[in-house]
Amino acid sequence: MNHKNKIELVEDDYFNSSNWQLKAKQTAIALVGWLGVILPFFFLVLPLWLPQARHALPFNYYHRIIIPLKFLARFFDEYFVIIALLYFSLTEWNNYRFSSTWTRRVAINTHRCDVRKELIENAWTDKFGNLQKRQQDSFYTVKKQQNLEPYFAQLLFVKGDDHQCT
């Protein structure tokens, strides 16, 4: 496999060892976010764990709400671990499958890419002259009929693909 065909799947400054300030900042933001998710559940379950703390809370619990809260607490105690393990295992499996697919298969059709590069170069040569002339000129006035259409490349690729298939 050609090295040019390999595509890096993830590029994130968080995972570079030189960016410890960014890592600390993003980790702190993530922890504050998770606290915002977990704290409301903590305050709802607190009266179940500590009945004497029920009076210190700024809201009142009615006796009818305690039974559903006990059910929710049991649900989160028992099933949260199962859901979390299932989530993480499926994520790891999907990441493995995705990375193995990208490393085993050629990500870019090099023949098609070369054909498209040639189509673009030929079209630019037809409209603006050869490559050397374009590179040497520092200023070039484009005539109205030389302007590119809005979907210039897409139409060129479709025409090239149709021409290749016949």
Side-chain angles (χ1 to χ4, degrees), residues 60-76:
N60 293 328
Y61 277 91
Y62 296 105
H63 183 66
R64 288 181 172 178
I65 200 73
I66 296 296
I67 294 171
L69 281 178
K70 284 183 180 178
F71 170 76
L72 284 174
R74 218 174 74 218
F75 173 79
F76 283 119

Side-chain angles (χ1 to χ4, degrees), residues 42-54:
F42 174 75
F43 283 120
L44 284 176
V45 176
L46 187 65
L48 297 176
W49 292 333
L50 301 169
Q52 65 273 18
R54 203 179 292 173

Side-chain angles (χ1 to χ4, degrees), residues 3 37 85:
H3 181 66
V37 170
L85 287 174

Side-chain angles (χ1 to χ4, degrees), residues 7-8 16-17 29 33 38 56 66 68 86 101 114 118 140 146:
I7 297 174
E8 300 235 357
N16 292 342
S17 60
I29 290 170
I38 293 173
I66 296 296
L86 183 65
T101 300
D114 292 339
E118 187 178 328
Y140 181 76
Q146 284 179 310

Side-chain angles (χ1 to χ4, degrees), residues 11-53:
E11 287 185 22
D12 193 355
D13 290 338
Y14 183 86
F15 297 106
N16 292 342
S17 60
S18 63
N19 293 329
W20 65 270
Q21 290 127 342
L22 176 71
K23 191 176 286 194
K25 179 182 171 185
Q26 288 185 353
T27 303
I29 290 170
L31 289 175
V32 168
W34 276 109
L35 278 176
V37 170
I38 293 173
L39 246 91
F41 289 107
F42 174 75
F43 283 120
L44 284 176
V45 176
L46 187 65
L48 297 176
W49 292 333
L50 301 169
Q52 65 273 18

Side-chain angles (χ1 to χ4, degrees), residues 84-100:
L85 287 174
L86 183 65
Y87 172 77
F88 287 122
S89 62
L90 288 175
T91 301
E92 287 299 318
W93 177 64
N94 192 38
N95 289 345
Y96 168 75
R97 192 173 52 85
F98 186 73
S99 66
S100 66

